[in-house]
Amino acid sequence: MSATPQKNRASRRVLAAAAGLATVGALVAAMPAGAHDRGHGHGHGHGHGHKPRTVDVQLLSFNDLHGNLEPPAGSAGTVNKTHADGTVEAIPAGGVEYLATSLRKARKGNPYSVTAAGGDMVGASPLLSGLFHDEPTIEALNGLDLDVTAVGNHEFDEGATELARLQNGGCHPVEGCYEKGKKFKGADFPYLAANVTKEKTGKPLLKPYTVWKKNGVKIGFIGVTLEGTPDIVTANGVKGLKFHDEVETINKYAKELDRKGVKSIVALIHEGGAPASTSYNYDCDSPGAGDGISGPIVDIAKGITPKVDALVTGHTHQAYVCTVPDPSGKPRMVTSASSFGKLYTDTTLTYDRRTNDIVRTSVKSANHVVTRDQPKAPDMTRLIDRWNKLAAPIANKAQGWISADINGRGSTDPEKPLGNVIADAQLEGLAPADKGGAEVAFMNPGGIRADLVYKASGSEGDGVVTYGEAFTVQPFTNMMNVVDLTGAQLVSALQQQVSGPNEAAPKILQVSKGLTYTLDLTKSGADRVVADTIKLNGEAIDPARTYRVAMNEFLAGGGDGFPALGEGTNKLVGASDLDLFNAYLAAHSTATAPLAPPATDRITVIQ
């Protein structure tokens, strides 16, 4: 048995605040002091006072938990494994009850162990966490003995003030305290945001780095989120903040740490890559170092100073353990552990006491599945039960019925069945003249956070969609907008799916019924959207005509790389996306006539 978390907290590891770094404003006023020793053991000295020259430090890491305390349902809750014979197995994984067990097991026998995360611990969370502004997740992460995390873009969903509350504690300014006589304590690990500064003062929003110490071993952690965070978060979420280049920021603080005598450095980066295979055990160093991975993290890794010894990454929800050459041409470990707590990465950092640096050639790393056939951690079960009781009256209410899984997040196709349902719900709810007179609706694919799963998640019965399940699909509760756009702007918006910032990784909008076009992936850039095939209800789009277009407020602000959608005029604000989704489920399904997965025939794809 592992020690109880309470005992662990007092005896497990040391996390020291970066020396001499001034705290910045209210956001860091109540930061965890971080001077608590959390070591498992007493190092491996030889009894006669001589310490070995090197010591192995275990770095456990994960990313993109997104408040998934309970095991994620459907395909969102599986990890792919490729076997020697080429067959692919989908392994059910994730859930903090199992993640806690996995991490505690992994730490056993490792006197030097530190746990770090790559951002998006909260935000876009299922109802169990989202309903309570992610307090349950922060509480769970405290129980998991997380030592440090970078901020991700989703940490900014509710703005800098709310992020400060998650760090420092205190009850929600509007909803107050959720449990009688209990005040939210905040995170007892630091959130790092090295590349986020306040516009007014130019000062860092949160700590840029922290130093983990144990028995003379010192490892610096620098945390950054992607520079493009303002493009993928609502304007309110990033108001008054500036986001800087990841490479320049990390190099600047690596130099500062080096000057302070901290030679061992790990970068926590909320930006990622795309491995050539979705299997977690894929070798992305085949045929050569880093050959099997593409995406933004590759260029970032190639630009980060060799002073940094390993990169823990995230954001793309992929699983990889790769070595990408640093600027001096030497391979350096770059890892990501999928999402939702389905994997964790175990990295061995061999620390040389004479140089105070990591022996880079001996760094080893592997991803491990958080399987569901191991015992649940009782403290996490108690935490989930406690918050579920509070959420139950809202979460368990039936909203509608489905006849089979309707895939959203779990679909890899450009047009997703659940995307069609959501876009149709938005069109139907906003088509009446007094609701906006919408003729077409667009939904951003990243806003669909889960699948609708036929199998019951609790006692509601198979095929029943509960409020909690609907919330998990659309947890942002974005307000809907209906705006005027010209046909020319509509065409531009569709072309922006595959050009500009979205060229390398297309973002295919989910469209309501009646809108059809051809997506030719053999072409490049904007030409992939074949302009003369775009039709609405069988008629070609007229560039000069004005159309009423429904979309959530994030897209209406030009988010996700769609500036054309931000040009809308004559805006009418409607109900929330979740309210329209639930209204559609209620109107189109009954227990005896459930909603079937819709056809995906709106976008013709040529590959």
Side-chain angles (χ1 to χ4, degrees):
M1 284 290 289
S2 59
T4 64
Q6 288 76 13
K7 284 182 186 158
N8 275 352
R9 197 164 306 294
S11 70
R12 215 165 57 68
R13 284 161 287 177
V14 172
L15 189 63
L21 186 70
T23 53
V24 185
L27 282 177
V28 287
M31 287 284 292
H36 32 287
D37 186 330
R38 293 174 165 183
H40 268 313
H42 307 288
H44 27 142
H46 290 304
H48 42 68
H50 295 301
K51 284 181 175 170
R53 176 164 170 179
T54 62
V55 58
D56 281 348
V57 177
Q58 177 190 56
L59 169 63
L60 299 176
S61 57
F62 57 98
N63 51 277
D64 296 276
L65 181 65
H66 289 287
N68 278 265
L69 302 180
E70 295 177 294
S75 59
T78 60
V79 169
N80 287 344
K81 177 180 184 173
T82 301
H83 293 284
D85 64 359
T87 57
V88 178
E89 178 190 4
I91 305 167
V96 294
E97 295 159 296
Y98 303 111
L99 181 60
T101 300
S102 289
L103 294 176
R104 289 165 190 171
K105 261 196 260 177
R107 288 173 191 142
K108 283 196 170 202
N110 288 286
Y112 293 82
S113 184
V114 57
T115 304
D120 276 7
M121 293 296 98
V122 300
S125 306
L127 186 90
L128 176 61
S129 187
L131 188 62
F132 305 106
H133 296 276
D134 285 310
E135 289 181 22
T137 297
I138 298 295
E139 189 186 321
L141 292 169
N142 289 344
L144 288 175
D145 288 329
L146 182 63
D147 283 313
V148 57
T149 183
V151 293
N153 52 289
H154 281 283
E155 262 81 18
F156 293 93
D157 283 348
E158 294 188 50
T161 309
E162 175 61 5
L163 174 54
R165 188 182 77 87
L166 291 180
Q167 178 71 86
N168 303 325
C171 296
H172 192 269
V174 177
E175 292 172 29
C177 299
Y178 294 112
E179 295 179 288
K180 210 176 173 184
K182 267 192 187 177
K183 189 181 163 191
F184 174 56
K185 289 182 179 141
D188 67 6
F189 50 88
Y191 262 113
L192 304 180
N195 65 332
V196 187
T197 57
K198 297 177 185 176
E199 265 174 6
K200 277 187 184 158
T201 63
K203 289 184 175 166
L205 176 73
L206 294 163
K207 288 185 0 175
Y209 61 78
T210 193
V211 181
W212 178 88
K213 296 177 183 175
K214 178 156 190 220
N215 295 347
V217 172
K218 286 190 291 191
I219 299 178
F221 288 89
I222 302 167
V224 297
T225 185
L226 69 154
E227 186 184 4
T229 292
D231 303 329
I232 52 175
V233 172
T234 58
N236 276 345
V238 294
K239 207 173 170 187
L241 303 176
K242 217 167 171 192
F243 292 77
H244 305 271
D245 183 82
E246 305 94 340
V247 175
E248 284 170 25
T249 305
I250 291 168
N251 290 352
K252 170 184 152 185
Y253 286 113
K255 208 187 239 173
E256 192 173 308
L257 282 166
D258 190 49
R259 277 203 311 270
K260 291 181 172 178
V262 180
K263 309 289 183 190
S264 298
I265 302 170
V266 174
L268 308 174
I269 307 171
H270 192 70
E271 178 60 290
S277 162
T278 58
S279 288
Y280 88 93
N281 60 334
Y282 165 69
D283 177 10
C284 60
D285 281 342
S286 173
D291 283 346
I293 188 168
S294 58
I297 199 61
V298 178
D299 287 338
I300 290 171
K302 285 178 178 170
I304 289 173
T305 169
K307 290 183 197 298
V308 175
D309 299 296
L311 314 183
V312 171
T313 74
H315 187 56
T316 55
H317 292 204
Q318 301 298 309
Y320 47 85
V321 172
C322 302
T323 53
V324 177
D326 71 13
S328 71
K330 290 186 182 139
R332 174 171 51 195
M333 196 60 81
V334 178
T335 68
S336 173
S338 183
S339 63
F340 303 169
K342 293 182 286 191
L343 295 178
Y344 71 91
T345 313
D346 189 338
T347 302
T348 302
L349 302 171
T350 301
Y351 184 93
D352 185 329
R353 289 183 186 276
R354 201 168 298 168
T355 62
N356 297 327
D357 207 348
I358 300 299
V359 184
R360 280 260 298 271
T361 50
S362 68
V363 175
K364 289 183 189 70
S365 203
N367 274 329
H368 300 278
V369 182
V370 176
T371 59
R372 298 186 199 163
D373 58 2
Q374 58 184 328
K376 295 178 179 183
D379 56 325
M380 294 294 151
T381 305
R382 285 193 298 273
L383 182 151
I384 288 169
D385 289 349
R386 213 178 81 232
W387 288 102
N388 261 333
K389 273 197 188 86
L390 288 173
I394 295 167
N396 298 339
K397 205 164 172 248
Q399 301 298 311
W401 290 262
I402 55 174
S403 63
D405 288 1
I406 304 180
N407 283 346
R409 196 77 182 183
S411 166
T412 53
D413 295 321
E415 183 184 348
K416 303 169 193 310
L418 190 50
N420 287 356
V421 173
I422 291 168
D424 288 352
Q426 295 176 354
L427 176 63
E428 184 170 294
L430 300 171
D434 61 336
K435 303 285 188 209
E439 297 167 81
V440 64
F442 291 138
M443 173 64 190
N444 55 311
I448 306 167
R449 305 304 300 187
D451 304 331
L452 279 186
V453 178
Y454 177 77
K455 194 176 179 335
S457 58
S459 58
E460 75 277 13
D462 290 348
V464 179
V465 180
T466 65
Y467 184 88
E469 289 164 342
F471 183 98
T472 299
V473 168
Q474 291 204 98
F476 300 107
T477 322
N478 272 315
M479 299 314 289
M480 291 300 300
N481 290 182
V482 186
V483 298
D484 282 351
L485 286 173
T486 65
Q489 287 168 324
L490 262 187
V491 172
S492 288
L494 290 172
Q495 290 173 330
Q496 284 163 3
Q497 300 176 110
V498 288
S499 61
N502 294 331
E503 180 158 4
K507 288 197 175 89
I508 305 303
L509 295 165
Q510 306 299 290
V511 299
S512 56
K513 63 182 174 205
L515 188 80
T516 55
Y517 69 94
T518 296
L519 184 66
D520 187 347
L521 298 177
T522 65
K523 295 182 176 167
S524 61
D527 290 342
R528 291 171 179 167
V529 172
V530 185
D532 60 8
T533 66
I534 305 170
K535 292 179 177 174
L536 183 59
N537 301 321
E539 285 181 25
I541 294 288
D542 176 353
R545 195 196 131 191
T546 297
Y547 295 84
R548 292 292 283 162
V549 184
M551 64 193 106
N552 60 43
E553 59 192 326
F554 169 63
L555 278 179
D560 258 355
F562 290 100
L565 296 180
E567 293 166 6
T569 56
N570 193 18
K571 178 169 83 174
L572 186 137
V573 177
S576 77
D577 51 9
L578 181 60
D579 285 347
L580 293 181
F581 184 47
N582 282 329
Y584 186 86
L585 289 170
H588 292 271
S589 69
T590 63
T592 52
L595 182 70
T600 48
D601 53 5
R602 300 169 191 184
I603 305 170
T604 302
V605 182
I606 299 170
Q607 297 204 325

